[in-house]
Amino acid sequence: MSSVPKNKEELYRAIKLNSEKILEDYLSIPKEYAHKNGIEGNVKGAIINVADTLAYLIGWGQLVLKWHQLKSEGSDVNFPETGYKWNELGQLAQYFQLQFKSWSYSHLILEFAVTIAKILSLIESLDNHSLYGTAWYEKYTLGKMIQLNTSSPMKNMRAKVRRFKKINQI
C-alpha cells in the first residue's frame, strides 16, 4: 500500500490502522499525564498536552463529517470552517482544544473512537468513484480531503505523542 491512499480500500485501511495505533498510545498514557503540557502545538511556540492532541483529531474528524453532510444536503460549506481560512489552521486547532477543554481524558478517547467509526462508516457507504473519481473541493477528491484531515494528522500527532511518552518514560 502506498503511503497516500489512492482508492477506497487503501483509505479505509489507512484510517483504521492509524487510528488503532494512536488509540493504543492514548490508552497507554495514565490519565494524570493527559493534561501535562509538553507537546509542540500547531501555533508557533505553543505547547499543548495529550488531551489537546485528541481534541485536535476529534475536531478535524467532525469537520470532515460536517463537510460531507452539508455538501450532501446541497448546502454551502465554509472551508475549512466558518470564521477560519486555510492559512489560520493554528487558530482552528486552538478552537478545537478550547471546544473540548472541559472533557475528561476517557471521554475524549471515547469521542475519538466514535468519530473514527463514523468516518469509516462514511467511507464504507461510498463507492470508489465518489471518493476518488471526481473533484470534490477545488482540485481535491473527497477521498483526498478525508485522508488529509484524518489519517495524515493522526500520523503526525502519533509522532508527537510518542515523543511525549518517551520523555515522560511512559
Side-chain angles (χ1 to χ4, degrees), residues 1-168:
M1 178 174 79
S2 163
S3 63
V4 178
K6 293 181 177 37
N7 60 49
K8 174 181 175 168
E9 292 75 26
E10 289 179 5
L11 178 63
Y12 186 92
R13 280 195 312 261
I15 293 171
K16 186 161 176 42
L17 180 66
N18 287 320
S19 65
E20 287 171 351
K21 285 180 178 180
I22 198 166
L23 189 56
E24 186 177 315
D25 285 320
Y26 284 137
L27 291 170
S28 72
I29 296 172
K31 66 181 175 183
E32 58 268 17
Y33 284 89
H35 295 282
K36 179 181 178 184
N37 286 343
I39 297 173
E40 179 185 342
N42 294 82
V43 173
K44 185 176 175 130
I47 303 297
I48 62 173
N49 58 54
V50 172
D52 289 335
T53 68
L54 268 164
Y56 176 82
L57 295 175
I58 294 165
W60 275 110
Q62 290 179 350
L63 260 187
V64 165
L65 295 166
K66 176 182 172 181
W67 295 340
H68 182 265
Q69 179 181 346
L70 288 171
K71 281 196 90 147
S72 296
E73 295 168 352
S75 300
D76 290 334
V77 180
N78 294 316
F79 288 100
E81 174 62 307
T82 303
Y84 297 91
K85 295 182 170 94
W86 286 111
N87 64 350
E88 299 174 322
L89 298 183
Q91 292 90 335
L92 183 55
Q94 290 176 324
Y95 167 75
F96 295 147
Q97 293 158 8
L98 185 61
Q99 184 180 7
F100 294 101
K101 191 57 105 184
S102 65
W103 288 37
S104 70
Y105 187 54
S106 58
H107 193 180
L108 286 168
I109 289 172
L110 179 61
E111 187 66 21
F112 174 72
V114 167
T115 300
I116 295 304
K118 288 178 182 177
I119 291 167
L120 292 173
S121 180
L122 170 63
I123 293 166
E124 284 182 318
S125 75
L126 299 169
D127 61 23
N128 197 61
H129 182 76
S130 299
L131 288 164
Y132 287 96
T134 59
W136 189 80
Y137 168 72
E138 293 183 356
K139 65 180 180 181
Y140 299 104
T141 64
L142 174 57
K144 183 70 172 176
M145 289 295 287
I146 293 172
Q147 177 255 318
L148 287 171
N149 297 291
T150 59
S151 179
S152 291
M154 280 186 258
K155 287 173 80 172
N156 182 33
M157 280 301 164
R158 183 167 187 242
K160 292 179 178 188
V161 167
R162 290 179 65 81
R163 196 169 22 247
F164 174 84
K165 285 177 58 177
K166 185 175 182 177
I167 289 167
N168 289 281

